[in-house]
Structure formats: C-alpha cells, structure tokens
Amino acid sequence: MKRTFLIILSVVCLLFSKIDVNAQSRLLRYADKQYNLENYLKASEAYKKAFDKKAKYTTARNLANTYEKFGSYEEAHQWWGIVVGFDESTKNDYSKFLSSALKVGMWEEIDQLLDSAGFSASDFPELNIEGMKALLERPSTLELSPVDLINSDASEFGYSVDNSGNTYFSSDRGPTGIVDPIPSLRLDAKNDVFSKEKSNVNEREFYKIYRKNTEGVVSKVTTDLPNVLHLNDPHFSTELDLIFYTAFLGTTKLKGQKNFVNHAGIYFGKVNEAGNITGSKPFKFNDQLAYGVMNPFVDIHNKRLYFASDMPGGLGGFDIYYAEFDDNLNFSAPVNLGPVVNTSHNESHPSVYDNKFYFSSRGHVGLGGMDLFVGDYINGSVDNVRNMGLPYNSIRDDFYFIASSDGKTYISSDRKGGQGLDDIYTLKDLFKVLKVSVEDCNGEPITEFESQIVDNSDKSIEIELNKEGVLIAGLNPDTDYRLKIDKKGYFGITDSTLTTVGFEGDTLVKRYTIAAIPYKSKLLSENVYYDFDKSNIRDTEKPTLEKIGNLMVENPHTILYVSSHTDSRASNAYNEALSERRAASVNQYLITLGISPDRIKLEWFGEERLVNDCGDGVPCSESNHQLNRRSELTLTAFVDKDMQYELPEGIDDPCDIILHTDLPTYSGAREIIEEDLASVGIAKELPTIYFDFDRSNLRSVHQRELDDVIIQMKNNTSRNLIIEGHTDQRGSDVYNEYLSELRAKAVVDYLIQNGIDRNRIEYSFYGENLPINDCSNKSCSEALHQENRRTTLRWNENFP
C-alpha cells in the first residue's frame, strides 16, 4: 500500500512539473513574439514573470535587452547586472553591462567596474570609454533651456515652424495631461493588434501632432488620413508650403495571415486655416506591411527628401536614406547614405543646415542611448561624422536637431531634470569657451592652482579645473575680463587683458607661466665705512645708501639687513655702543629716503667680527683698521616663506627673475645690478679669493664675488666647480695644509649656504706646495705673500 502511494505521488509531481515547464515555455514564446513585434512593454512583463518562475541566464538577458529597447535604462542596467552574475555570461554581456552603466550616468564608477572584473577600457573598444570621457570633459559653449508652452509631463519632441509662425511638434499627452511614467518609444515600427486608444508598444497614448499658434495657444492637429494611430515628426517645408509627417495607419489582419505587422509611413499635405492637414498623399516608397519609413526632412536646395527606414538592403536597423524629387514631387528611388552615417543599429531624425548634416544614432559611439551627430555636408555628400558632445548630448536619449527660421536651435531629449519623458529644448546664450593651462619656468604643467575670473562689472565667472589641470570657463562674447592665478610658493599673476571682443572662434586658449618665488634671495650686498670713532654717514657713502633706498622704494618686497661693526681700538663695551650708533645712522638715513623702519633689520657686534687679524694689541695699518669700521648691508627679497607675493612690476617674463639672475631683476634694478655685479654670463672670469695672514674667514669683498658665482651656477645648472685652497710659505707644512683646507672649505660652505648643491662642488687643498711666488729661498713683500694666501675657483669641465 505504501509503495503504491509513493508511485502515485511521484506521478503527480512529474505531472505538475511538466505542466509548469509547459507554462514556462508558453510564457517565453509569448515574450519572444512580443519582443520581435516590438511590443516591448508586454514582452518585458512576460520575461519578468518567466524569470520569477525560474531564474535563467537567457531570460535575464532577454529582459535586459527588452528594457534597453524600451528606453528604460535604469531597469536595463539592473538586469544586465543580474546577467553578468550568471556563470554563462560572456565578455559581450559585460560590455552591455558597462554600456548600461554609462547610460545611467555611472562615469565616475566605470574604472571601478572594470577593475572589479579584471578588465581595462581597452578591452571594450566598441564602447570608446576614454573617448567618451573626453567628450564629457569637453566644455559646453551653449545653454539648454526648455521651450515654454510646449513641454508637459508627457513626451514632446520635434519642432517645425510654418510660413505664418505657427509651431508644430509631436506629443503623446493624454486628455488630462496625466501619464504613467513609462518610457516613451519614438521608433514605433510595428504592431500586431491595434487598440484604438493606446499604443501596444508601451501602452501610452498614441502620438499626435500639436500646433502652437503665434498667441501661444496649443491645439491638436488632425489629418484627413483614415484610421490614424500614431501621428508625429511634423516637418513643414516653407518653400513647398507643405507639411511632411510620419503616420501609423490602423489595418485589419487579413484572413489566413499568421504573422501580421504594421509599419510607419511618410505623408505630406497642406495645412488649412484651422490648422489641420488636408490633401494628404503617401510617400511613393511607403510599404505598410513590409518596413517602416519615418522622420521626413526636406532639403530644398538639393531637392531631396531625407528619411529613416528599415527597408531591405540597409546596414541594419533603421538607416538614413534620401529620395530626390522634381518640381512635381516625383520621387526617385531611395539612396542609402552608407556606412559613414549608418550603422548596424538605428539612425534617425536627419536634418540639413548650413553645409552640416545632423542625425541621431544608437550605433555610433555616444554618451547615452541615442546621441546627436553632425557631419560635413558638401555637394550632397556627408563626411567627417562626429559626436556633437555636450550639451547637445547627455547620458539619455538626445535627438531631432532643428535649426529653425526664428534663428534658434532646438533639440529633443529625455535627459534628467526635464518636465516630462521627452522635452524640447532650445540652445541659447552662446558662450566662448576659455581654456587655461599653467606651467612653471621649466615648462612642466601645474595642475593645481587657485584662480578667479571677473568681468568688467566685477561679477565672478564660474570656473572649473579638470583633472588635467586645465581651467575651463564660459565667457560672454564681446566682454573684457580679468583673470587672477595663484599658487602657494609662486608669484601670483593677473591678466587684465583677457577679452572676447573681436574673438570669432569658439574656444579661447591661453597658456600662462608662473615663476617660483625665490624666497630669501640676496639682491645686493654693499658696505659703508666710517671714520675713526664716528657713526655719522660720510658724504662718500651716501650714494650707496641712496642706491639701496631707490631699490627699496621701487620694490616693496625687499628687506635690508644691516650689520654694523667697529675696529678693535677701544673697550668692548664702547665698541658695541659705537656699532649700535652706526646701525642707527644707516636706519635714520634710509628713513629720510622714504623707507619704513619696519623694512630695516639692525644688528651690531662691536669688534667681535673683524675681517682681518687687527685684534687687540696687534699693530695694523690704518687701511686695515678701516676695513673693520663698517656696516654690512644686504638687500634681500621675499623673506617670508609663508607670504604669497605678487609678481613685481616691470617684469615682462615671470621667469626673468630666475633664469637671468636668480635674483629679482626688478624695475630699475637690472642696470644697478649689472653695473655693480657686472655680467652674470658663464663666460665671466671666476674670482680668486684671498685671505688675511693665518685666517680662513671670508672677506666681505670676496663674499660679493662669490655671490656672482652663485648666480652663474644657479643660472646654468650644468656648471660645476673645482675649488683649491693654498697658503703662503710661513708656517709648517702640516699646519699650512690644515689652513689651506679651512680656506677651501670656507668657500665651499658659503656656496652651499647660499643654495648650491654640494654635489656640484669638488675641493682640494695644497698647503704651501703650489705658490704663485716662491718665497722659500728669498725675502718676499707682504703683497707677494698675499698672492699665495688664496683659494682658486675653476669650472669642472669633466663633470658628467
């Protein structure tokens, strides 16, 4: 008994399983049929039910394809994500998944999606991801604005104006204007069963043609064609005084017909005073039961009717054709525009204006589902087809480019932010695009900087800095602007000559060079000297202070460091006070020249820093004592590293500061610098540095000479030095070798302290072994001994 029950139960389960499989098969066959008939809403519902019953890869893929055909890109992306989760999924499926991600605006996430699956953008050349990124980053020169009194919460597209100024457009708005949020479908090619109220493709209202008169009143346009379902694509030829349009006509399935489809056709007729179409005639090459013909546009100059059709012999989907006509509107056989325009997918909505051919395509690489493209139109041929970019195109469907007789340009789009499913936009407020790139003095691009643009009314202009560091802004025509660029550590620059006045191009390209601020740059070193036991400024020293004062007046970014000293002939306390008075004298004199005391930094050292060996009790000549009675003046620019400095006036080339002197060559300063420091060219003879007896400290006069060497080395980084230290012959060999090393190192240290790389310097020391004057066997004067107490400098010609 138990065994019999189990057998019966198994049979029942098998029976129900078979019934379920058969039901699943019938549902999928129904879905496939609706898909092939382009009844995509019914197909999507059936595929969804089938997938809910049994999750299969093929069902998910068919559903993703259906949503994509339907224009429901969010759902398509969701289902392509499910498809690629199946083990059976292919690289082509992942390409579809990536494409769907782009259509819903996931450009920022695309690299992550590629990485997560182990792909790169180059693995999907059909998507042209990098090219599309470039299109998205291309600046927009236009602004889109929705057309007033036409757009609703339904779908509106197309735009045409008749000879009286009335506007015609297509819409599937309902009687109340309230519609379901089901995507609109513009390529309605065929249906199998016809409702008299709604389209079976997406169960929305049938498209109708509407007219907005010159007073802004919108009314429905009727036609004398019988059994009209869809009525759209109005194109009014003002020269022919005819309106061309697309229509679907209801047709009854004939007895015995197994498969029945209905296609769109093109018609044309007159518009009467009431705004309705009369005397309609069919385009000669319509074939309602075989293929679709739609989207008419008349090129009156070449006497051609352009249209889209999926007639046999095309490249796939809908292609764009033309048929020539004569004065009696007799049409020649259609001509396919070929692969320059057409692809294996759908192309549609052709138009011609000013030697340009416009059309929409799902096959050419674009930003979204359908994009607008333009080609050069010369002698009736189309070439150089390219994506129109932003703002014409978006990640959604963009189509139906129209240049109207009212001087405006119109497109249709279902982009986000619109009033309805499809909206009509006008493109207005033509801008000039400013593209600014910034580089440093070595020609290296600077990708991060601050900037501001204001117009001649001081209104700030919105700017963008893309990831390549290019500043992009939209500028009004015939307007003057002021551009300011700042970067920490660089001189800020301001361009007050930026203008679009008289500029005829679309994109104004500017390149600017900014120079690094040479912080704590030594502009000038001078000494002023004093009489014995005096602190007043000698008349002979006043020109030096006046020269420095003039430089400081002309160049407000400079600070003067004053270091005052005495000789050793008095007590330490007295000499310290005397050196303070000498510093104060310099300070007071410069104040009388208009220099703020805040820009003068004073120090005094008494007799602590003698430049020679004339210390306490050492007999010295008056001339040697004079060298110690001094104020050392060092004019330094850009001393505050936390401060942002403007480029000094009088500098035409910002890199002139660095490339010519590595010190600020301010207005009025070059002549003085060249006068005092002579030429800074590489050909200048290198100095010999002399030292006092038994000393290794640098004399101030030689510091000035070394400053010149520093300038040359910074100006030409391929130059490197060999430094050699020497002594006279009055001392032991061991001591003199040590002293000559100290002298060589004194020069090396000074160069390094002032910005020269240690690796650019070689030094050696020879003690008394290489004298200029051999005083070992003869008596020499102090002057001959002085020539031996030296450190020499020469260029290292063998430096790699």
Side-chain angles (χ1 to χ4, degrees), residues 7 45-46 52 96 112 123 142 199 216 223 407 422 503 527 598 662 719 771 778:
I7 291 172
E45 292 171 346
D52 289 342
K96 294 280 191 179
Q112 181 180 348
D123 293 321
L142 299 167
S199 167
T223 177
D422 295 303
F503 180 72
N527 287 349
D598 294 337
D662 206 48
R719 287 288 189 170
K778 66 177 181 179

Short mmCIF file of all heavy atoms in Angstrom, two decimals, residues 7 45-46 52 96 112 123 142 199 216 223 407 422 503 527 598 662 719 771 778:
data_model
loop_
_atom_site.label_atom_id
_atom_site.label_comp_id
_atom_site.label_asym_id
_atom_site.label_seq_id
_atom_site.Cartn_x
_atom_site.Cartn_y
_atom_site.Cartn_z
N ILE A 7 4.30 5.75 -5.54
CA ILE A 7 4.32 5.78 -7.01
C ILE A 7 3.33 6.82 -7.52
O ILE A 7 3.62 7.61 -8.42
CB ILE A 7 3.97 4.38 -7.57
CG1 ILE A 7 5.13 3.41 -7.26
CG2 ILE A 7 3.72 4.45 -9.08
CD1 ILE A 7 4.81 1.97 -7.61
N GLU A 45 7.02 42.39 -19.43
CA GLU A 45 6.18 41.81 -18.39
C GLU A 45 6.24 40.29 -18.43
O GLU A 45 6.30 39.61 -17.40
CB GLU A 45 4.74 42.30 -18.55
CG GLU A 45 4.59 43.79 -18.24
CD GLU A 45 3.21 44.31 -18.62
OE1 GLU A 45 2.48 43.59 -19.35
OE2 GLU A 45 2.87 45.44 -18.20
N ALA A 46 6.21 39.73 -19.64
CA ALA A 46 6.24 38.27 -19.78
C ALA A 46 7.60 37.71 -19.37
O ALA A 46 7.67 36.69 -18.67
CB ALA A 46 5.92 37.89 -21.22
N ASP A 52 10.76 35.14 -12.75
CA ASP A 52 10.32 34.93 -11.37
C ASP A 52 10.00 33.46 -11.12
O ASP A 52 10.20 32.95 -10.00
CB ASP A 52 9.10 35.80 -11.06
CG ASP A 52 9.46 37.27 -10.98
OD1 ASP A 52 10.67 37.57 -10.81
OD2 ASP A 52 8.55 38.12 -11.08
N LYS A 96 27.75 44.97 -22.45
CA LYS A 96 26.40 45.51 -22.34
C LYS A 96 26.16 46.10 -20.94
O LYS A 96 25.51 47.14 -20.78
CB LYS A 96 25.37 44.41 -22.60
CG LYS A 96 25.37 43.87 -24.02
CD LYS A 96 24.60 44.80 -24.94
CE LYS A 96 24.35 44.19 -26.29
NZ LYS A 96 23.58 45.08 -27.18
N GLN A 112 36.13 51.52 -11.59
CA GLN A 112 35.96 50.52 -10.55
C GLN A 112 35.27 49.27 -11.09
O GLN A 112 35.65 48.14 -10.76
CB GLN A 112 35.15 51.10 -9.39
CG GLN A 112 34.95 50.15 -8.23
CD GLN A 112 34.14 50.78 -7.10
OE1 GLN A 112 33.93 51.99 -7.08
NE2 GLN A 112 33.68 49.96 -6.18
N ASP A 123 39.83 46.87 -23.36
CA ASP A 123 39.20 45.59 -23.67
C ASP A 123 37.83 45.76 -24.33
O ASP A 123 37.27 44.79 -24.85
CB ASP A 123 39.03 44.75 -22.40
CG ASP A 123 40.36 44.29 -21.82
OD1 ASP A 123 41.25 43.94 -22.61
OD2 ASP A 123 40.52 44.33 -20.58
N LEU A 142 27.14 76.18 -24.99
CA LEU A 142 25.73 76.55 -25.09
C LEU A 142 25.01 76.22 -23.80
O LEU A 142 25.47 75.44 -22.98
CB LEU A 142 25.07 75.78 -26.25
CG LEU A 142 25.65 76.05 -27.64
CD1 LEU A 142 25.13 75.02 -28.61
CD2 LEU A 142 25.27 77.44 -28.11
N SER A 199 -1.08 52.82 -27.60
CA SER A 199 -0.11 52.01 -28.31
C SER A 199 0.15 50.72 -27.55
O SER A 199 0.31 50.72 -26.33
CB SER A 199 1.21 52.79 -28.45
OG SER A 199 2.24 51.95 -28.86
N GLY A 216 0.40 81.61 -28.62
CA GLY A 216 0.76 80.65 -27.59
C GLY A 216 -0.31 79.61 -27.29
O GLY A 216 -0.16 78.82 -26.35
N THR A 223 -5.64 65.04 -39.30
CA THR A 223 -5.30 64.77 -40.68
C THR A 223 -6.45 64.08 -41.38
O THR A 223 -7.30 63.46 -40.72
CB THR A 223 -4.04 63.88 -40.76
OG1 THR A 223 -3.75 63.58 -42.12
CG2 THR A 223 -4.23 62.59 -40.01
N GLY A 407 15.79 81.60 -35.98
CA GLY A 407 17.18 81.86 -35.62
C GLY A 407 17.67 81.05 -34.43
O GLY A 407 18.81 81.20 -34.01
N ASP A 422 10.01 63.07 -22.67
CA ASP A 422 10.84 63.78 -23.64
C ASP A 422 10.46 65.25 -23.60
O ASP A 422 9.27 65.58 -23.48
CB ASP A 422 10.61 63.25 -25.06
CG ASP A 422 11.04 61.81 -25.23
OD1 ASP A 422 12.21 61.52 -24.96
OD2 ASP A 422 10.20 60.97 -25.62
N PHE A 503 36.78 88.36 -30.87
CA PHE A 503 37.20 86.96 -31.00
C PHE A 503 36.12 86.19 -31.74
O PHE A 503 34.97 86.12 -31.30
CB PHE A 503 37.46 86.36 -29.62
CG PHE A 503 37.91 84.91 -29.68
CD1 PHE A 503 39.17 84.60 -30.14
CD2 PHE A 503 37.07 83.89 -29.29
CE1 PHE A 503 39.60 83.28 -30.21
CE2 PHE A 503 37.48 82.58 -29.34
CZ PHE A 503 38.75 82.27 -29.81
N ASN A 527 78.89 97.57 1.47
CA ASN A 527 79.42 98.06 2.74
C ASN A 527 79.47 99.58 2.72
O ASN A 527 79.72 100.19 1.67
CB ASN A 527 80.83 97.54 2.99
CG ASN A 527 80.85 96.06 3.35
OD1 ASN A 527 79.81 95.46 3.59
ND2 ASN A 527 82.05 95.47 3.35
N ASP A 598 60.25 99.43 9.48
CA ASP A 598 59.89 98.01 9.58
C ASP A 598 60.63 97.16 8.55
O ASP A 598 60.71 95.94 8.69
CB ASP A 598 58.38 97.83 9.37
CG ASP A 598 57.57 98.46 10.47
OD1 ASP A 598 58.13 98.64 11.58
OD2 ASP A 598 56.39 98.78 10.25
N ASP A 662 68.63 84.73 -11.03
CA ASP A 662 68.19 84.02 -9.83
C ASP A 662 67.98 84.97 -8.66
O ASP A 662 67.83 84.58 -7.53
CB ASP A 662 69.16 82.92 -9.42
CG ASP A 662 68.44 81.84 -8.63
OD1 ASP A 662 67.38 81.41 -9.09
OD2 ASP A 662 68.92 81.46 -7.55
N ARG A 719 76.93 73.78 -14.92
CA ARG A 719 78.24 74.24 -14.50
C ARG A 719 78.53 73.78 -13.08
O ARG A 719 77.71 73.91 -12.19
CB ARG A 719 78.30 75.77 -14.55
CG ARG A 719 78.37 76.33 -15.96
CD ARG A 719 79.74 76.07 -16.57
NE ARG A 719 79.92 76.78 -17.83
CZ ARG A 719 81.08 76.88 -18.46
NH1 ARG A 719 82.15 76.33 -17.94
NH2 ARG A 719 81.17 77.52 -19.60
N PRO A 771 102.82 77.63 -4.67
CA PRO A 771 102.78 79.09 -4.51
C PRO A 771 102.78 79.81 -5.85
O PRO A 771 103.31 79.31 -6.85
CB PRO A 771 104.07 79.37 -3.74
CG PRO A 771 105.00 78.28 -4.17
CD PRO A 771 104.15 77.06 -4.35
N LYS A 778 113.88 83.26 -0.65
CA LYS A 778 114.11 84.68 -0.83
C LYS A 778 113.14 85.45 0.05
O LYS A 778 112.12 84.94 0.49
CB LYS A 778 113.94 85.10 -2.28
CG LYS A 778 112.53 84.94 -2.81
CD LYS A 778 112.42 85.44 -4.25
CE LYS A 778 110.98 85.30 -4.76
NZ LYS A 778 110.85 85.80 -6.14
#
